Amino acid sequence: MNAVTKTQALEKMARDFAAVSGVYNGADVTSPYEQMKEWREKTPVLEGDILRIFRAPSQADWMGTGRKVYTVFRYKDVHQILRDDRNWLSKQNAEGFGSAVDNFLLTGMDGEEHHKWRAILQPPMMPNAIKKWKDNLICPIIEDEFIGAMRPKGKSDLLLDFVLAFPVRVVYKMFGLPDDMVAAMQSAGWALQIVGGPRFDPEEMKTSIPAAMEAGQRLYEYVLPAVQERRKSGVVRDDMIGFLMGLNVDGKSFTDEDITTFIRMTLLAAGETTSRSFGNMIVLLLERPDVWERLRQDRSLIPKAVVETMRLETVAGHLARLAARDMEIGGVTIKKDEAVTVCISSANRDPEVYANPDELILDRPMRPVMSFGFGPHICMGMHLAKLEMEIALNAMLDLPNFRLDPDYPKPVIRGIQLRGPDQLHVKWDVA
């Protein structure tokens, strides 16, 4: 694996990242918000799947079975569905990715099974647990490995030099995987291949799904020896592998295979969403120099900037749920086993909840933002992702006169799902 150089591994990961972007941007969407606004006002529960309308893979019907799907646009309806895991199920999520990860997928579990595994696996991801990683892991990786190398250059292809790589480095080290950036980038590419497995075109799925299955196996084969080596060494470390080795579930300890399966599942979302969210944040802030300067002068506003930019440009803008029984939402009856796609991107811009919803307002009164989902299935890694982005933004603010590079086209945030910029060239002053 190490015969590949760091540059080659990053470039390959960037191609895989772009390929996933293409899968979820089949209709070449730059700004879907006017159309969402129209639906939210006139047809808040739309018969049809917004993702398929925009030629992206459905999350409500991954495998194209013909399941009837509705799309829900208003904040209050999205909120109601996501918080009710008894009547609105998540099991359909396992149809797309489940087989690539041996059907161990928290986002595809329901009821007691989900509550059990979430309670077991969540403690290392809680805010107090995450804080310990700040000074001894996250800051050194961001500031020493990445920003320190970038600072003397005065310019950067920020996606390639920083945005794609730093969340992967943080998560892989936190898990206790080998401290090998090249291997981490290559294995992150396999995770991206899994995410890109579902397609809009059924013909494409004949090759993309087997490729995702193969990528899932390769990711497993990368993680397992690291777990086995740790077990063999007997070394006790305060990382995710160490935590999992100490677990006892129903009177049984986790095997190396159990640990590997869990880590593989987690790696599917360990870096990409953070990368896209951070890229979106930098674009939005650099397009507003007055906001950037305000943040530079007052770093206490950084957490608000993270939340507000994620509200304005939500990466995972759509989730799906399955009706456990006949349900009514927004005056529309959804029959048992029919599905809804909840449009978080629309809910996050609902004027009934957010005044002037299309504007970036740092002083906006705090409201629950559903960019990490909501309810029992809210993203387990949200606290880590937010902390990573806060530290990374603080580092960017320290670069003098940090700005978009005028020698390149302005970055454009694209996609109906997994939205993000296609390129992000920046520059800054060097003393």
Side-chain angles (χ1 to χ4, degrees), residues 1-2 4 9 13 16 172 181-191:
M1 193 177 280
N2 288 327
V4 177
M13 186 182 173
D16 291 334
Y172 278 49
M181 186 168 176
V182 172
M185 296 303 107
Q186 288 184 281
S187 58
W190 296 328

Side-chain angles (χ1 to χ4, degrees), residues 122-138:
Q122 190 169 17
M125 296 292 186
M126 296 302 289
N128 287 339
I130 293 299
K131 286 179 183 177
K132 69 184 178 185
W133 301 112
K134 180 179 178 180
D135 293 331
N136 62 8
L137 192 153
I138 302 175

Side-chain angles (χ1 to χ4, degrees), residues 44-45 74 77 327-334:
V45 181
R74 293 186 302 197
D77 296 331
M327 296 293 295
E328 182 177 303
I329 196 79
V332 176
T333 298
I334 314 294

Side-chain angles (χ1 to χ4, degrees), residues 12-76:
K12 174 62 166 59
M13 186 182 173
R15 291 194 296 272
D16 291 334
F17 187 85
V20 170
S21 300
V23 167
Y24 289 93
N25 191 24
D28 193 21
V29 180
T30 53
S31 181
Y33 300 112
E34 281 302 314
Q35 179 63 76
M36 289 178 183
K37 177 182 177 182
E38 180 179 341
W39 279 326
R40 187 174 58 237
E41 293 175 351
K42 297 179 180 179
T43 319
V45 181
L46 176 73
E47 185 173 338
D49 188 341
I50 184 175
L51 293 175
R52 293 201 63 81
I53 291 171
F54 283 98
R55 301 183 64 81
S58 172
Q59 296 201 0
D61 187 16
W62 291 104
M63 303 306 292
T65 63
R67 176 184 293 139
K68 192 168 187 178
V69 181
Y70 295 80
T71 303
V72 179
F73 293 97
R74 293 186 302 197
Y75 183 100
K76 64 180 181 180

Side-chain angles (χ1 to χ4, degrees), residues 154-158 160-161 403-412 422-427:
K155 62 190 305 182
S156 170
D157 176 349
L158 200 64
L160 193 62
D161 295 340
R403 60 203 185 274
L404 294 174
D405 191 334
D407 293 334
Y408 293 87
K410 288 186 177 180
V412 177
D422 45 11
Q423 52 85 21
L424 182 48
H425 291 272
V426 295
K427 64 189 309 182

Side-chain angles (χ1 to χ4, degrees), residues 110-408:
D110 288 304
E112 289 304 316
E113 181 187 32
H114 173 252
H115 294 303
K116 168 188 170 180
W117 285 109
R118 177 122 185 170
I120 289 169
L121 299 171
Q122 190 169 17
M125 296 292 186
M126 296 302 289
N128 287 339
I130 293 299
K131 286 179 183 177
K132 69 184 178 185
W133 301 112
K134 180 179 178 180
D135 293 331
N136 62 8
L137 192 153
I138 302 175
C139 285
I141 286 176
I142 289 175
E143 295 171 0
D144 299 340
E145 290 189 25
F146 290 98
I147 305 302
M150 288 167 47
R151 186 174 286 110
K153 299 177 182 179
K155 62 190 305 182
S156 170
D157 176 349
L158 200 64
L159 284 182
L160 193 62
D161 295 340
F162 181 65
V163 176
L164 295 182
F166 87 83
V168 173
R169 283 288 289 127
V170 168
V171 169
Y172 278 49
K173 193 162 186 177
M174 193 181 94
F175 269 63
L177 293 170
D179 195 9
D180 182 333
M181 186 168 176
V182 172
M185 296 303 107
Q186 288 184 281
S187 58
W190 296 328
L192 286 167
Q193 285 181 274
I194 297 171
V195 173
R199 299 296 171 91
F200 172 79
D201 186 345
E203 286 300 312
E204 289 185 12
M205 290 184 68
K206 292 179 181 179
T207 56
S208 67
I209 294 299
M213 296 284 290
E214 180 182 351
Q217 182 61 31
R218 295 182 74 178
L219 189 57
Y220 183 91
E221 291 170 355
Y222 164 69
V223 175
L224 180 60
V227 176
Q228 292 173 328
E229 180 60 30
R230 171 70 70 82
R231 179 94 64 185
K232 182 179 178 181
S233 72
V235 174
V236 178
R237 293 183 195 158
D238 187 14
D239 54 28
M240 184 62 78
I241 291 178
F243 168 76
L244 294 170
M245 284 184 172
L247 283 180
N248 186 289
V249 181
D250 299 331
K252 296 180 180 179
S253 299
F254 268 28
T255 66
D256 294 346
E257 291 75 17
D258 293 333
I259 294 170
T260 300
T261 299
F262 169 73
I263 291 176
R264 177 178 57 178
M265 172 198 69
T266 309
L267 292 181
L268 295 185
E272 185 193 20
T273 304
T274 305
S275 291
R276 293 184 191 275
S277 297
F278 186 77
N280 290 346
M281 177 169 62
I282 294 298
V283 172
L284 291 171
L285 294 176
L286 291 184
E287 287 177 341
R288 297 162 174 81
D290 56 329
V291 178
W292 183 267
E293 180 60 21
R294 188 180 175 200
L295 283 167
R296 196 180 68 81
Q297 296 290 341
D298 184 357
R299 305 299 174 90
S300 70
L301 295 171
I302 286 176
K304 289 187 175 183
V306 171
V307 173
E308 175 66 356
T309 55
M310 289 189 70
R311 180 198 67 81
L312 197 61
E313 282 291 1
T314 306
V315 170
H318 301 86
L319 297 172
R321 295 292 186 266
L322 201 65
R325 54 187 56 82
D326 288 0
M327 296 293 295
E328 182 177 303
I329 196 79
V332 176
T333 298
I334 314 294
K335 294 182 179 179
K336 180 182 178 181
D337 294 330
E338 293 180 341
V340 292
T341 295
V342 293
C343 187
I344 293 172
S345 295
S346 170
N348 278 345
R349 292 187 181 221
D350 190 333
E352 291 188 4
V353 180
Y354 305 105
N356 302 311
D358 299 325
E359 296 180 18
L360 194 160
I361 302 174
L362 292 181
D363 299 314
R364 185 179 297 283
M366 295 301 293
R367 300 284 189 276
V369 173
M370 292 185 281
S371 305
F372 287 103
F374 192 78
H377 276 279
I378 195 168
C379 175
M380 199 163 66
M382 61 179 280
H383 304 296
L384 174 63
K386 289 167 70 174
L387 181 59
E388 287 179 89
M389 288 190 283
E390 289 169 11
I391 294 169
L393 176 56
N394 188 63
M396 298 288 107
L397 290 164
D398 283 337
L399 295 173
N401 195 21
F402 188 76
R403 60 203 185 274
L404 294 174
D405 191 334
D407 293 334
Y408 293 87

